[in-house]
Amino acid sequence: MTEAFFFLLSSLIKLYLMVVLLRIWLQSAKADFYNPFSQFVVKATNPAIIPLRRFLPSIGPVDTSSWIFAFAICVLHVAIVQLLQLGQVIYVYLPLSALVLLITEALQLVFWILVIRALLSWFSQGRNPMELVMHQLTEPLLRPVRKVVPVMGGLDLSLLVVLLGIQFIQILLTNMLRGF
């Protein structure tokens, strides 16, 4: 019973974290905010982000309130995990663990968005509004790789290179965290 509750709680927190990270990514990529997918992300995060903006204004192009909120979600997740698994919260490791969680979840989000984009490119005819947002989000990541790894035989290998790079970084982060 406890494991099932822990899994459900952890999954819900991480899913909401992904939605907040998507909002940050949509803003930084200057994606179409009138797209239905973007509207869902904005409506799901506005109740928390709008009040925070009164106290934490943006610094240039950086949406400070969204980043602080994402970090706070990570701190909450790490604290709940420690409390349920250890029976106590170890405050010394809390900020670093939350930062590592934020980075790994952001990388996980990028990974899955790239996979979804690849799948949509196989089945969609290019008229799907979600495909447009996926293109707007991932193209800034893929474009520099395409300059180094050209399209070969009609296959765009830039996606594979970026996915391998994400997995490499995630493994490095996991190994660094185990060192603690």
Side-chain angles (χ1 to χ4, degrees):
M1 177 79 169
T2 307
E3 286 182 34
F5 175 73
F6 173 72
F7 168 77
L8 182 63
L9 187 61
S10 177
S11 295
L12 289 174
I13 292 171
K14 283 185 175 182
L15 282 173
Y16 192 66
L17 173 63
M18 293 250 184
V19 173
V20 173
L21 290 172
L22 261 173
R23 180 184 179 118
I24 294 168
W25 194 6
L26 285 165
Q27 289 172 332
S28 67
K30 294 179 179 60
D32 179 18
F33 268 86
Y34 294 105
N35 186 293
F37 179 73
S38 301
Q39 285 296 307
F40 162 75
V41 171
V42 170
K43 288 178 182 175
T45 55
N46 266 351
I49 301 294
I50 297 293
L52 280 174
R53 284 203 174 137
R54 292 184 199 136
F55 307 105
L56 298 166
S58 295
I59 301 172
V62 178
D63 184 7
T64 315
S65 55
S66 295
W67 278 108
I68 297 293
F69 185 57
F71 185 72
I73 292 171
C74 291
V75 169
L76 174 71
H77 183 270
V78 170
I80 288 172
V81 167
Q82 287 180 356
L83 195 60
L84 292 176
Q85 289 183 344
L86 305 174
Q88 65 179 352
V89 177
I90 304 171
Y91 294 103
V92 174
Y93 298 118
L94 200 61
L96 181 60
S97 298
L99 181 63
V100 169
L101 177 66
L102 182 66
I103 293 168
T104 56
E105 288 302 312
L107 289 171
Q108 193 73 7
L109 176 66
V110 172
F111 179 86
W112 286 112
I113 294 292
L114 286 166
V115 169
I116 291 169
R117 179 184 173 183
L119 291 174
L120 282 174
S121 72
W122 292 343
F123 300 110
S124 176
Q125 299 299 318
R127 303 186 209 310
N128 187 340
M130 191 164 168
E131 187 175 0
L132 175 65
V133 171
M134 298 296 161
H135 180 78
Q136 291 173 335
L137 289 174
T138 58
E139 197 56 33
L141 298 171
L142 298 174
R143 193 177 308 118
V145 177
R146 280 194 198 110
K147 291 179 182 176
V148 178
V149 180
V151 176
M152 293 196 247
L155 289 174
D156 184 6
L157 298 177
S158 62
L159 185 74
L160 181 63
V161 171
V162 173
L163 289 175
L164 288 172
I166 290 170
Q167 289 297 314
F168 177 76
I169 293 169
Q170 284 181 320
I171 291 169
L172 283 178
L173 283 173
T174 304
N175 288 340
M176 283 177 28
L177 191 59
R178 283 189 193 139
F180 269 108

